[in-house]
């Protein structure tokens, strides 16, 4: 996963006190909340610097990989680096998104955050990206379809679907094996269609479910010194393998948007690739998370604005594409040009995650929309 306000930052998990009998009216009138309980509640909702750091570093990797994509074909080293980064950067995003969705039960306040923090940005940016292509590429026939995610917006559609299914994954006995089975079946089903990019939604599903299954102690485990040291040879070995595999591999597997039959390989290849990529992605994600700083840093505050960086940097990438920048300035494919693109992508996405930008686009990325919801929505309980 990025941090979508009203979307990723979830209320703390229910505590044992919620299962106690509800006090009577008289008890409620006389009961005075104790100060330690208030302090504990305040502490539980406080932002975690570690996850903000992880989200910021992940969005930087996303932006850099998108900048490499148009210029990497002539360089085996660039393709290898792209393969290495693409193997884990979206799985890391999705895993963190799942982890912060653990408390989703479909309460009215959670549904409201789901609508304002995910559904509304999806609708707005789906229209924006489509209109931008119409204007910049002189393509009046570019459709505006909320069922066919444009470029980066697929992630918002996927997150909306995944989060709605969270209660299901929380109650079944073997959620991760079931999710892997669904992802494997998706790779063998070429007729799923493009609606809401369901092929990608299903193939990336295991990472979201894995995040739902994780507990705080699992993140404590990957932050141990031994794991950090093991991450170094892990990435070194992965880099060597990526260099060997880059000219031999169809990178479409990385995007999880096609079935095995559509890629011209036997159906069973989809099962093998699903399990292989899942294992590699989990290992590399663990190695990445092991080196994420635990303390507050200069970029910790940027973790709260990664939805802005994610959605807005795509417009700049598309602007360069529509303007034929990469075809005009062929020197960008040289090592020096690729280094420059890497620096520019990291700098631009950093600026797009800053608080001023977040405040400027808050009306669309985290709108209040009080007018659209019933005033008593928060008081509505589950239907019996």
């Amino acid at each position: 996963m990025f941090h979508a306000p009203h979307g990723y930052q979830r209320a703390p998990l229910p505590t044992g006190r919620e299962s106690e009998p509800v006090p009577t009216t008289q008890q409620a009138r006389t009961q005075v909340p104790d100060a330690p309980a208030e302090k504990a509640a305040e502490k539980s909702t406080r932002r975690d610097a570690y996850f903000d750091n992880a989200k910021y570093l992940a969005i930087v990797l996303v932006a850099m990989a998108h900048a490499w994509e148009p210029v990497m074909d002539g360089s085996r080293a660039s393709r290898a680096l792209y393969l290495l980064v693409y193997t884990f950067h979206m799985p890391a995003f999705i895993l963190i998104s799942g982890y912060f969705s653990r408390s989703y039960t479909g309460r009215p306040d959670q549904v409201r955050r789901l609508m304002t923090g995910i559904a509304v940005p999806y609708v707005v940016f789906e229209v924006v990206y489509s209109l931008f292509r119409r204007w910049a590429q002189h393509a009046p026939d570019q459709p505006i379809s909320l069922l066919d995610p444009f470029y980066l917006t697929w992630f918002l559609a996927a997150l909306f679907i995944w989060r709605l299914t969270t209660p299901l994954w929380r109650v079944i006995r073997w959620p991760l094996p079931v999710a892997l089975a669904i992802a494997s079946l998706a790779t063998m089903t070429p007729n799923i269609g493009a609606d809401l990019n369901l092929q990608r939604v299903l193939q990336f599903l295991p990472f979201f479910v894995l995040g739902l299954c994780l507990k705080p102690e699992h993140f404590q485990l990957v932050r141990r010194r031994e794991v950090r040291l093991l991450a170094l040879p892990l990435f070194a070995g992965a880099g060597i393998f990526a260099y060997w595999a880059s000219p031999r591999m169809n990178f479409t597997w990385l995007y999880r948007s096609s079935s095995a039959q559509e890629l011209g390989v036997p159906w069973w290849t989809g099962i093998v690739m699903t399990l292989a990529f899942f294992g590699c992605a989990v290992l590399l994600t663990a190695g990445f998370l092991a080196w994420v700083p635990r303390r507050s840093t200069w970029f910790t505050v940027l973790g709260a604005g990664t939805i802005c960086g994610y959605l807005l940097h795509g417009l700049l990438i598309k602007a360069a594409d529509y303007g034929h920048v990469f075809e005009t300035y062929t020197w960008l494919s040289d090592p020096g040009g690729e280094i420059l693109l890497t620096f520019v992508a990291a700098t631009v996405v950093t600026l797009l995650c800053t608080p001023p930008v977040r405040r400027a686009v808050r009306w669309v990325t985290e709108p209040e929309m009080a007018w659209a919801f019933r005033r008593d929505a928060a008081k509505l309980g589950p239907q019996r």
Side-chain angles (χ1 to χ4, degrees), residues 97-257:
S97 301
Y99 180 72
F100 280 101
S101 298
R102 294 171 302 158
S103 61
Y104 183 85
T105 59
R107 296 196 317 265
D109 60 311
Q110 293 175 328
V111 173
R112 175 173 175 169
R113 288 196 297 268
L114 185 66
M115 296 298 296
T116 58
I118 299 178
V120 170
Y122 170 72
V123 171
V124 171
F125 278 91
E126 180 67 21
V127 173
V128 167
Y129 272 100
S130 300
L131 293 179
F132 183 57
R133 183 175 183 271
R134 282 189 182 186
W135 172 77
Q137 242 187 353
H138 306 288
D141 58 337
Q142 169 63 40
I144 299 177
S145 172
L146 299 183
L147 293 179
D148 187 12
F150 193 108
Y151 196 37
L152 301 176
T153 58
W154 74 267
F155 181 72
L156 294 180
L159 185 57
F160 186 87
I161 296 172
W162 292 331
R163 186 157 291 153
L164 283 178
T165 65
T166 294
L168 168 67
W169 302 111
R170 299 295 292 169
V171 299
I172 64 176
R173 181 168 294 181
W174 301 293
L176 187 56
V178 171
L180 284 169
I182 292 174
S184 298
L185 290 172
T187 65
M188 299 184 292
T189 312
N191 298 322
I192 287 180
D195 288 353
L196 294 179
N197 216 325
L198 282 180
Q199 184 70 254
R200 190 174 264 171
V201 171
L202 297 177
Q203 290 195 39
F204 273 117
L205 174 64
F207 299 104
F208 182 82
V209 175
L210 176 60
L212 289 175
C213 297
L214 293 179
K215 298 178 181 179
E217 49 265 33
H218 294 125
F219 289 94
Q220 293 292 339
L221 179 63
V222 300
R223 288 151 66 174
R224 294 174 59 179
R225 184 172 181 271
E226 307 92 279
V227 179
R228 296 178 65 190
L229 294 177
L230 288 173
L232 298 177
L234 170 67
F235 272 97
I240 293 172
F241 179 80
Y243 188 81
W244 172 85
S246 60
R248 299 172 171 84
M249 181 182 167
N250 185 345
F251 279 21
T252 307
W253 286 110
L254 296 172
Y255 311 136
R256 272 84 164 187
S257 57

Side-chain angles (χ1 to χ4, degrees), residues 246-302:
S246 60
R248 299 172 171 84
M249 181 182 167
N250 185 345
F251 279 21
T252 307
W253 286 110
L254 296 172
Y255 311 136
R256 272 84 164 187
S257 57
S258 303
S259 65
Q261 294 91 327
E262 291 170 326
L263 296 180
V265 296
W267 62 268
W268 54 264
T269 308
I271 301 176
V272 175
M273 296 300 286
T274 296
L275 298 178
F277 267 114
F278 179 78
C280 293
V282 169
L283 286 175
L284 292 175
T285 297
F288 165 73
L289 293 174
W291 281 94
V292 170
R294 312 175 198 180
R295 64 186 185 283
S296 293
T297 66
W298 64 268
F299 56 78
T300 300
V301 67
L302 304 179

